[in-house]
Each structure stands twice: as C-alpha cells, then as structure tokens.
Amino acid sequence: MTYFVQDEHDDRIRLQHLMMGEFGFDRLTAEIYEALLRCGPLPRRQLLAILSQSHTRLDSGLAVLRDHNLVSVDYERFQPRYYAINPAVAWQALRADILWKTLDTMSPAESVLRVDHPAVETLLRTCADLAGVGGRLYRHHIAALEHRQWDADTPQQLAQLVCEIVSTARHEVRAVSKSPRLPQVSTFWTVLTERLSAGVRYRRVVDLDEVIAHGLQVVNRDLREWHIDLRVLEQDRIHHKYYIVDDRLVAVFHESARPRHDIRGVGRISRKHWTVLKYAKRFPDYARLAIPADLVVGELRRVSNVVLQQARDGLAPDEIAWLESLIEMGKFSLFHKEVGWSDARLSEVEAKASALGLARRNVEGELVFAYPISARQLRSACAEAQRAR
C-alpha cells in the first residue's frame, strides 16, 4: 500500500471517528458524507449502490447532513445530485453555530460557561480537525458554476448558491439587500471574511432594519476592521435584491409579491453576460442615493443615548443594561443569558420595554431596539450632521 493510499485510508477512518464520536452522527451518515467528499456530486441511485442501504435510511442520513449545512443538492438534466459543501467553509460555519447555540441555550446555573469550557473547546477543536481531514478527502465542486443559469427552489438553496459564488470572488462583491435576509448567516460570513482577508472589496446597500438588527457595535466592526463599504437606503427605494461577483456572476432574489411568468423559484444565479451587466448598471444609482453607514451609526447612537437617558426613571439598571446590549449587539445580544435571566424574566422585560416603545420584534422575528426615528428622518438628520461638520 502506497503512502498516499494509506494516508487517505487513515483520513477516512479519522473522519468517521470524529463525526461519530464527538458529534454523534450515526455510521451511515458519516459514510454518506465521506462518499460525497471523495466522489463529488452523486445521484441518489449511485449513493444507494455504493452504500447498499434502503431508500429510507439514505434519505434520513442526507437530511441530517443537509440540516447541518454539510451537504447540498445540484441538478444535472433536472435530476438531483448531492454534493459535499467545501469542508473548510462548512465546518467553520458549524463551529460558529455551535458556539453561538452553546452560549444561547445555557441555563442560569451554567451562565459562567464560555469558550474555554472543556466541552466547548472539544467541539471547536473537532470542527477544525474535520475541516482539515475533510479538506484532504474533498473533491472540489461549486454547483453554481456548473450552470449558465439556475433557479433556486428554496431560500436555503439560494443562500448556499450565494455563498458559493461569493467564494469565487477575486476582486469585488456588490450587494443590494433589504429585509427579510438570507438564512445561513454563519456560512456566508465565513465565506465572506475569507475573501475579505484575500483583499476582495465588499460594497453593500441595505435598509435601516439590517443595521438595527446587527447592532451598532457589530456594524462598526464591519466598517473599521473589515473595511466594508456599507450604505443605508430607505426600504421603499430598494426595488431589487442581488449580489454581483466580479461582474461575472449575479444572484437575483425574486419578489414573491410580484409573480411573473418568466421566472420560477425564490431566486436565480446567472453568469449570462447581459443579465450580470443589467444588475451591475443599477448599483451606482443605489450607492449614490444611500447614506454612508458611519453617519447612520453616529445618528442612531445619538438618538439611543437620548432615549436611554429618558428611560432611566422607568426602568431598573439591569433593564437599561439589556437595552444598551440590544443597541450595540442587536440580534446577537446575549445579555439575558450572561446575567442569568429566566425565559419568564426576559418575556416580562420585553413586554415592559415594548409597552414603553423601547423594544420590538422586526420582520424576522428578532428582538431589537425600537429607535424613534424613520429612515427618512434619519436621512435629514445625517444631512444636518454633515453640514455641521
């Protein structure tokens, strides 16, 4: 046996050991994943032949892998083919999800648990190990590049395709977006930051809800550390949702409220030159109309400071601290977990703050600070702030 074959054999054993031991996947699910890593896209009938399993058990294993965003589906002549998502991306994103869920589901008694807890450390280390082992077995496949045009049937599939085209960026990604936003946030952020680290530029026009949902501290990090060119535009002025990658690829979101006979699904990935060019030509107007995000963050911070000062008479100190966390971290706030609030206590404080007009649920169902300012009022305030400089 050559060293190469021995190494591959060792990696296959290691992959199954890590998946079954630390993550609790069953053997068949680990074997399905290994087959897709090594063989590339496979139709269901080939997987059945390779693994000698029943349809029901195979479908169950595929469902588990897709639920963990480790596997996705491609099409050849309208027939589905399953493939492994790039392990370097998939396991890093799963690592982020596990860390977030671990912190977000702690009981008050466990609120001291952090990333240095042995159980959490083990999971994080295992994700890194699986990314390495999986990467050595991986037969590279980017489904989005296999088609001149592809209509995505679900938001999850569209999110995966967007991640794939962004992963190919060499120079620039431009985006126009409004709520509701894509799922698979951790996967997208993993792909994007890898490209940003390689020198790719990211320019994005969003609605005000996105800034509020992400929190002022998080948005500031994106601006300062990642140098993202972020701009904010009134939602009713955003008539398209799309991503453009290097003027080669475009992902277009379809508006379900406006059914058309010439499109299907929830969105389309295209590398047709004229389709890409059509959306590329729209971006300068969106960017010109939009407000630089640093001005928006500055004005939102000023407004929130005024509101919090007025709210101190009616709220307890920990309730004020919770609101401050919503302002800074948005939907990523874990203040209620960090201080050991019960679900009942959180519901009580949310109801109290909502009644006072200080908190609300956005269109995504996320709990955010309720700024007493509209996007149009914000535009006027930012213009006034610019004139005063």
Side-chain angles (χ1 to χ4, degrees), residues 73-88:
V73 63
D74 191 359
Y75 291 88
E76 186 175 49
R77 296 186 180 89
F78 303 104
Q79 297 301 310
R81 301 186 302 166
Y82 297 94
Y83 68 97
I85 297 167
N86 186 338

Side-chain angles (χ1 to χ4, degrees), residues 15-25 30 33 65 91 130:
L15 179 84
Q16 292 195 21
H17 171 75
L18 289 171
M19 290 185 71
M20 295 166 61
E22 301 300 340
F23 279 94
F25 291 102
Y33 184 57
L65 292 168
W91 288 105
L130 281 163

Side-chain angles (χ1 to χ4, degrees), residues 20-50:
M20 295 166 61
E22 301 300 340
F23 279 94
F25 291 102
D26 63 35
R27 179 174 295 279
L28 175 59
T29 300
E31 289 175 349
I32 294 170
Y33 184 57
E34 179 208 317
L36 294 175
L37 281 173
R38 293 191 303 108
C39 301
L42 291 173
R44 194 160 166 271
R45 67 179 183 280
Q46 277 188 257
L47 274 172
L48 285 167
I50 291 171

Side-chain angles (χ1 to χ4, degrees), residues 103 106-117 337-338:
L103 293 173
M106 291 184 299
S107 69
E110 298 170 318
S111 61
V112 296
L113 189 64
R114 290 297 180 268
V115 295
D116 57 352
H117 188 280
K337 294 291 182 181
E338 291 166 354

Side-chain angles (χ1 to χ4, degrees), residues 216 300-317 319-328 353 358 369-372:
L216 304 188
L300 289 179
R301 195 175 294 287
R302 184 193 69 78
V303 170
S304 64
N305 286 340
V306 172
V307 172
L308 286 177
Q309 190 60 41
Q310 295 171 345
R312 291 184 191 281
D313 291 338
L315 296 177
E319 295 167 345
I320 291 291
W322 170 71
L323 285 175
E324 289 173 336
S325 180
L326 281 187
I327 292 165
E328 297 300 332
L358 298 172
F369 185 72
Y371 290 89

